[in-house]
Amino acid sequence: MSRIDCDVAVIGSGAGGGTVVAALAELARAGKRVILFEKGTKLDRSRFNGREVDMAELLFEAGGSFPVVDHSVTLAFSEGVGGSTQVYTGTSLLPPKRVIERWNLPGVDHADLCERAEAFRVQNNAHLLPGPDINDNNRLFQKGCEALGWHAEQFPVNVKGCKGSSLCNLGCPNDAKMGTQQVQIPAARAAGVELVTRAKVRTVRAGDAGGILDVEVSAAPHPHGKIAQSEWEPGRYEVHAHTVVVAGGAVHSPALLLRSGFGLDLPVLGRYWTCQPAHILVGEHDKPLTNAIGHPKSFLYDQRVAEDRYFVEACMYFPFVTAKNLTGFGPEHHRLLKAYERLQMILVLACDDALPDQRVTIDAAGEPVVHYKLMPPTITALCKATRAAAQIFFAAGALAVHAPSARPTLLTRADKDHIDARISERHFLPGSVSVSAAHLMGGCRMGTTTATSVTTPHGQVHGQPWLYVADASLFPTAIEVNPYLTVMALADHVAQAVLARESH
Amino acid sequence: MAAAILTPLHDKLRPIAETMVPPIADLDDAAFLKVLALIDVRLAGEPPALGRQLRLFVKVLTFLPIFFALRTFGGLAPKRRLAFLEALQDCPIQKLRVGVWGLRTLIYLGYYTDPEVQAALGYRPRLDGWEGLAREKAQQAHEVHP
């Protein structure tokens, strides 16, 4: 095993790790050695062909369908340089004040997080898309909300040179999405931060002057085609770092710390895990609309989030993902897919509670296992969100709406005034209703004591002054908006603590 | 080449797949095997236990109707096949519901990701987005009024 020494090792290159290395660029410029480890590879846009199977296998773990233990929810998270910022839609929403105040963490201040988030909005070119770039699918969402007297908020998206391929979730073929692989990581590398891809950190443990990482650099052929080799020779490395920052995301960060043995001293490690579970709903219109052209997501309705624990957004998905997300099968299911060009789509998301038994553990091989159940309040929130979405569809002129928690699942305009009765929790059967989640949070929650948290409010793992966490796993509860901007703001906040440690 | 996981059960799977996705009935044997081969590729990266569970579940679906209708799944009339699967989809046992959901999702993967099928549904990825759409519209207009 080769030995490598460095000052700071950052594990994971998504919204968290990418932000941290950008903040630590000044250390690299000052001659300190900062290494960014990424389990996946670096992909360029020439690989992004927009095909569902190719991209799902190349960009997502488990093809974007990582199952929780009871199979009631599938999780979508990405690997590769940029992490999930490669496959998000770039929805740039600020952290909600009510959530940050509920966290009640000393040193984690809403105004401070918003200031950092605003700076990333500027850095990532987040802006409101102009009217001509808004497609029919988004316009119908806005129209439906307006007809109901509801406020549909247009939010900024972080794109530059967007051609409107609508392929955000399959990797942008035009490099238009300003994720960490486009903005923060190139800046950090230019300053001297080293990037090592195809490098899996197996464990991390305390050393005499910081942490020791057991890193395995892979040379195995990728099951889905030729990909770039690592910057390091394949093999095992023992990396000694003065400071270690874990930013592998809400599944892999807790798993890494668990297989490294930190669970013995940190009873809540892996626990209080949330994911804002979601459905895709479709409304059928009488004529074709632009849904698979144009940026997929620009509007949300979140006026009920505090009271009813849900929010809904315009969205667009591809035929297989749409087929998967519609409940059922058979002639009616296929008929709806044949209407693909006439489908309006809405994503409904529930704000789930952070509970101790919703958690990440590891299997015998040290790989993550997610124990998550759809709890009654979450199902109620999804049903309320579905009722709201059905109202939006009909108000926008849809002829029919597919509602997973209705039997039969298709609502027609004759059902328009009976939506509350037709959509019911009793029809929501976990396992038969498709629920997916991409907002994965918690597992290494911040707090003030080891009994209730894994890290301090500055992301330092309790009792380990050399070890930090800087990703969505820090969230004590669900953030109740699309999370990437909060992840970046929080990672920047953690990076300041790392800089302070390194400057002493 | 991926290990054959569901392909060997193609005769049992065919009536199930046709019930879940009716146009699969129009596929010839080679085209149906292509659908199953794509599923096998996807399953190749999964733990072997999942393949075993899926094969067992296909057999359960095939033979369970004997207890209710004295016929295997393939021997049922199309409407009764659909009703049988819908009853399992909504049954109180979550593992059975998950099994139906998982199998139908894999069949969707094998069928609805085919670029020709997607084009027939009205979807094809346009990497150049709005520009590509405008170019197509201009071309169509030119064809109508050359």
Side-chain angles (χ1 to χ4, degrees):
Chain A
M1 191 182 286
S2 308
R3 174 174 171 147
I4 302 282
D5 289 282
C6 67
D7 295 288
V8 183
V10 180
I11 304 162
S13 66
T19 300
V20 169
V21 290
L24 301 186
E26 64 184 81
L27 293 180
R29 274 192 291 269
K32 292 207 172 194
R33 190 173 189 190
V34 180
I35 305 178
L36 173 60
F37 292 101
E38 167 54 49
K39 183 162 68 96
T41 189
K42 182 163 174 30
L43 296 164
D44 63 51
R45 66 182 182 181
S46 67
R47 297 299 302 269
F48 298 159
N49 63 14
R51 291 193 175 166
E52 280 191 277
V53 171
D54 296 352
M55 292 301 96
E57 296 296 336
L58 196 61
L59 288 164
F60 289 91
E61 292 211 17
S65 293
F66 187 99
V68 303
V69 167
D70 76 355
H71 291 264
S72 59
V73 183
T74 56
L75 311 177
F77 54 101
S78 186
E79 63 177 31
V81 176
S84 290
T85 73
Q86 297 176 104
V87 293
Y88 65 7
T89 48
T91 300
S92 301
L93 290 162
L94 298 175
K97 190 172 186 185
R98 66 180 181 282
V99 176
I100 306 304
E101 287 183 349
R102 202 185 303 141
W103 288 359
N104 191 26
L105 294 167
V108 179
D109 174 65
H110 178 255
D112 173 68
L113 286 183
C114 283
E115 194 177 321
R116 293 177 198 273
E118 287 284 12
F120 287 116
R121 271 183 169 177
V122 172
Q123 198 174 86
N124 294 351
N125 199 45
H127 61 285
L128 300 179
L129 289 182
D133 289 351
I134 302 291
N135 67 10
D136 293 343
N137 191 51
N138 278 277
R139 282 183 203 288
L140 287 169
F141 183 92
Q142 187 186 24
K143 178 185 167 185
C145 286
E146 278 177 4
L148 293 164
W150 299 353
H151 175 63
E153 181 187 345
Q154 185 180 2
F155 49 75
V157 292
N158 63 356
V159 293
K160 190 186 279 183
C162 175
K163 292 186 175 182
S165 73
S166 205
L167 294 166
C168 305
N169 294 131
L170 300 180
C172 180
N174 303 306
D175 277 351
K177 196 167 44 179
M178 297 293 107
T180 55
Q181 79 282 12
Q182 289 290 337
V183 182
Q184 286 77 26
I185 294 171
R189 293 185 74 187
V193 171
E194 296 171 52
L195 170 66
V196 184
T197 58
R198 305 198 71 188
K200 179 174 180 175
V201 179
R202 295 160 65 101
T203 59
V204 55
R205 67 182 196 275
D208 291 339
I212 302 171
L213 283 61
D214 177 358
V215 181
E216 182 173 19
V217 173
S218 173
H222 193 278
H224 302 287
K226 190 180 175 195
I227 58 172
Q229 290 300 302
S230 175
E231 294 74 5
W232 286 5
E233 288 295 317
R236 293 278 285 276
Y237 294 84
E238 188 175 86
V239 178
H240 292 244
H242 181 243
T243 304
V244 175
V245 182
V246 177
V251 171
H252 284 297
S253 286
L256 170 60
L257 296 184
L258 283 165
R259 67 174 175 262
S260 301
F262 291 100
L264 295 173
D265 297 324
L266 300 166
V268 301
L269 178 57
R271 296 179 182 272
Y272 297 97
W273 194 88
T274 64
C275 62
Q276 294 182 173
H279 285 320
I280 298 165
L281 307 185
V282 302
E284 183 183 359
H285 287 259
D286 60 354
K287 52 180 182 267
L289 51 109
T290 51
N291 53 13
I293 292 287
H295 191 281
K297 195 179 281 190
S298 264
F299 286 93
L300 92 156
Y301 168 68
D302 68 350
Q303 304 295 297
R304 306 297 305 171
V305 67
E307 198 173 329
D308 287 336
R309 316 286 294 145
Y310 74 81
F311 57 106
V312 302
E313 299 175 338
C315 72
M316 175 270 160
Y317 291 95
F318 317 100
F320 163 59
V321 174
T322 305
K324 172 186 161 188
N325 274 276
L326 301 181
T327 296
F329 39 76
E332 182 54 38
H333 182 277
H334 183 66
R335 191 198 65 76
L336 260 183
L337 281 165
K338 277 171 66 182
Y340 186 86
E341 285 182 297
R342 294 185 284 113
L343 295 183
Q344 180 190 352
M345 300 192 196
I346 294 178
L347 185 70
V348 305
L349 302 100
C351 304
D352 49 343
D353 295 324
L355 302 169
D357 289 340
Q358 310 278 47
R359 62 184 181 132
V360 175
T361 61
I362 51 172
D363 63 16
E367 295 303 319
V369 178
V370 180
H371 303 259
Y372 182 86
K373 284 188 186 304
L374 288 166
M375 305 304 281
T378 306
I379 292 173
T380 296
L382 281 170
C383 288
K384 285 180 176 176
T386 302
R387 291 185 193 113
Q391 287 182 270
I392 295 170
F393 281 128
F394 283 128
L399 303 173
V401 172
H402 177 91
S405 37
R407 290 292 182 278
T409 51
L410 199 73
L411 309 182
T412 64
R413 291 190 73 81
D415 298 309
K416 197 159 68 77
D417 297 326
H418 311 287
I419 287 171
D420 285 356
R422 288 290 317 279
I423 296 168
S424 164
E425 286 90 332
R426 75 176 186 279
H427 298 311
F428 190 111
L429 297 171
S432 67
V433 171
S434 286
V435 182
S436 53
H439 299 170
L440 317 183
M441 298 164 279
C444 298
R445 63 187 339 220
M446 298 178 287
T448 51
T449 70
T450 53
T452 58
S453 60
V454 174
T455 80
T456 69
H458 288 88
Q460 184 216 305
V461 175
H462 292 302
Q464 310 294 336
W466 52 275
L467 181 59
Y468 288 79
V469 177
D471 58 28
S473 69
L474 289 172
F475 293 8
T477 66
I479 191 66
E480 302 181 6
V481 290
N482 302 55
Y484 101 83
L485 212 49
T486 308
V487 175
M488 293 188 82
L490 209 48
D492 192 54
H493 163 84
V494 173
Q496 301 315 308
V498 174
L499 280 171
R501 171 176 158 82
E502 287 300 308
S503 64
H504 284 98
Chain B
M1 188 167 168
I5 297 167
L6 289 185
T7 307
L9 294 177
H10 63 94
D11 55 333
K12 292 184 177 60
L13 257 170
R14 179 132 196 164
I16 298 168
E18 288 176 6
T19 307
M20 290 177 161
V21 183
I24 285 181
D26 300 331
L27 301 182
D28 61 22
D29 286 347
F32 182 60
L33 287 173
K34 204 173 134 195
V35 168
L36 297 185
L38 189 59
I39 297 171
D40 280 350
V41 169
R42 173 67 190 86
L43 290 173
E46 299 295 333
L50 180 63
R52 287 195 296 273
Q53 287 166 8
L54 275 166
R55 286 194 296 269
L56 176 64
F57 190 65
V58 170
K59 288 172 187 165
V60 168
L61 290 185
T62 301
F63 296 112
L64 192 58
I66 290 174
F67 296 102
F68 306 101
L70 301 176
R71 292 169 195 270
T72 63
F73 184 86
L76 297 175
K79 275 192 177 175
R80 295 195 73 187
R81 290 179 185 175
L82 187 63
F84 174 72
L85 290 178
E86 284 176 344
L88 286 185
Q89 175 188 241
D90 287 343
C91 81
I93 304 166
Q94 184 166 342
K95 283 196 171 169
L96 282 176
R97 297 199 301 266
V98 167
V100 173
W101 184 90
L103 189 59
R104 68 145 220 162
T105 299
L106 287 169
I107 291 166
Y108 294 166
L109 173 86
Y111 184 75
Y112 286 117
T113 56
D114 182 325
E116 285 181 25
V117 170
Q118 294 196 340
L121 298 177
Y123 173 80
R124 65 184 174 83
R126 291 182 182 88
L127 305 191
D128 50 359
W130 293 113
E131 290 171 20
L133 184 66
R135 199 166 44 248
E136 277 176 30
K137 282 186 174 171
Q139 197 173 343
Q140 283 165 4
H142 180 72
E143 283 165 9
V144 175
H145 303 290

